[in-house]
Amino acid sequence: MMRARSLLVGPAVALACAVAPGGAAQRVTPSATTSPAPAATQGQGEAAREAAPAQQAAAPDDVAARLLAEVQAMDLAARWAWAVKVMPELVEHREGSVAAERWAEFQRLAAGRTTLWVRARGDRCFAVRGAWEGDGFLGRAREVAEIEGDVKTVRYEAVDITARGISSSGPHGDVFARDARGRWQTDGVFGLGSFAAIAERPVFEVTRKAAYYGEAAYTLTIECSETKAEEERCTDGSTRRCSRCAALWARPHAPGQTWAMARMSGTGASGGLVDCSVPCPPDLLTEQLPALNLAVQGRTFVAADAADAAVYLDAGACRGDRRLR
């Protein structure tokens, strides 16, 4: 795991010896700049000393800002590679839809067929009779014919099957009338504008006899999922509390869906006395959060936990499929 480090930069301090009046050795500490060393102060045989400036640790906000700037300077591929190195679990999140690739495979399997079967989760199979037009299969389902005297009415639902989903509309109908020789001739058509989505999410899996729908798109934010605090006793008799993030979580976000995770926290006590003039240990994970969120910003990931619907090559495969019960 790559960690942000605080680089302590202090002045270079050099000690030099000079000869004081009277032959005694005098120690001189130069300043951090290139200005001449201060003159020695005489008295009681000892040299006066100038204290070097104290080294200061970078503030947590400074560390986070510096890491964020470094990641901002990377191209998108390098940002993602860095994020995966810091959080290896990010490799489980897949970018880019596989719908078009899978659908091409299903089209090859279904080439030349004039009937496909459709099933939504918890529903029964139904046949769709039609033909391939471009990248989709257009057909009719649930056809019913009624005859009253010399008029026949055929009602049906129009079904559109593509890589992006399955939809139906209707009912539509064809009207036929008998001619003088008793043959049915088209006498008109009608249709209603009702529309229903059978599968609203794209294809994510294709087997030998079926294509399954249910691919979902989501985004991520990186959050702290576990915090730890430690109560410390200071050498001056006081106490202090040092807190830090102990674990990160890549939280998904998608319209109409909510992911929740229990946030954990723990508190402990140090076993001995500590010098509280020294800052608490750095909170490395919290310092990485801004840069990690930049790395996932603008990226869309896809997943499928369960199929919403499927289209099949034959009735037996459709009726026998337990995945959609």
Side-chain angles (χ1 to χ4, degrees):
M1 178 179 290
M2 179 181 290
R3 299 181 182 273
R5 296 180 178 176
S6 298
L7 180 61
L8 303 182
V9 180
V13 179
L15 300 181
C17 292
V19 179
Q26 175 182 332
R27 187 178 300 275
V28 179
T29 304
S31 67
T33 66
T34 56
S35 58
T41 302
Q42 298 185 17
Q44 301 181 1
E46 288 190 356
R49 297 181 180 180
E50 180 181 348
Q55 295 178 339
Q56 297 293 328
D61 289 347
D62 294 340
V63 176
R66 185 161 58 245
L67 180 59
L68 177 60
E70 291 175 2
V71 175
Q72 280 178 323
M74 300 176 183
D75 60 34
L76 294 178
R79 286 183 192 175
W80 182 247
W82 171 83
V84 170
K85 188 173 182 180
V86 174
M87 289 184 68
E89 59 268 35
L90 287 176
V91 76
E92 300 172 4
H93 298 275
R94 177 172 55 85
E95 285 189 276
S97 174
V98 297
E101 175 186 345
R102 296 289 183 264
W103 188 243
E105 181 181 354
F106 183 75
Q107 281 186 293
R108 180 182 60 79
L109 294 171
R113 293 181 180 266
T114 58
T115 302
L116 297 176
W117 281 260
V118 170
R119 183 178 179 182
R121 176 170 294 282
D123 205 351
R124 294 183 178 182
C125 299
F126 63 89
V128 180
R129 296 174 177 83
W132 288 96
E133 295 186 15
D135 63 351
F137 187 89
L138 302 179
R140 297 181 174 190
R142 302 185 174 100
E143 288 189 78
V144 177
E146 298 176 348
I147 299 176
E148 292 184 5
D150 290 336
V151 177
K152 179 172 72 171
T153 303
V154 178
R155 293 181 174 83
Y156 64 89
E157 293 179 15
V159 179
D160 186 6
I161 306 172
T162 69
R164 298 175 297 277
I166 305 173
S167 62
S168 67
S169 62
H172 304 286
D174 296 324
V175 180
F176 302 88
R178 291 185 190 276
D179 62 13
R181 299 173 59 180
R183 296 174 301 183
W184 294 113
Q185 302 293 335
T186 300
D187 193 44
V189 297
F190 64 88
L192 299 178
S194 63
F195 175 89
I198 299 170
E200 298 183 273
R201 302 192 293 176
V203 167
F204 72 91
E205 180 184 347
V206 170
T207 63
R208 190 169 57 89
K209 290 190 174 183
Y212 292 93
Y213 293 80
E215 181 183 86
Y218 64 95
T219 58
L220 289 175
T221 56
I222 310 302
E223 303 175 4
C224 181
S225 60
E226 181 180 355
T227 57
K228 289 187 177 179
E230 191 169 63
E231 301 287 350
E232 296 181 334
R233 293 183 300 153
C234 305
T235 52
D236 63 3
S238 62
T239 60
R240 74 174 181 182
R241 182 185 180 92
C242 291
S243 298
R244 63 182 176 86
C245 178
L248 298 177
W249 175 42
R251 181 177 185 175
H253 301 269
Q257 293 184 276
T258 302
W259 284 265
M261 183 177 185
R263 297 182 183 276
M264 302 177 63
S265 61
T267 303
S270 61
L273 297 177
V274 297
D275 180 3
C276 293
S277 64
V278 177
C280 290
D283 186 351
L284 298 177
L285 296 184
T286 296
E287 292 168 355
Q288 292 170 344
L289 279 175
L292 284 169
N293 276 292
L294 176 66
V296 300
Q297 180 180 318
R299 293 180 179 271
T300 300
F301 306 89
V302 291
D305 297 326
D308 298 329
V311 56
Y312 303 83
L313 299 184
D314 60 62
C318 184
R319 297 191 187 103
D321 191 349
R322 296 178 176 272
R323 292 177 63 173
L324 295 176
R325 290 187 175 179

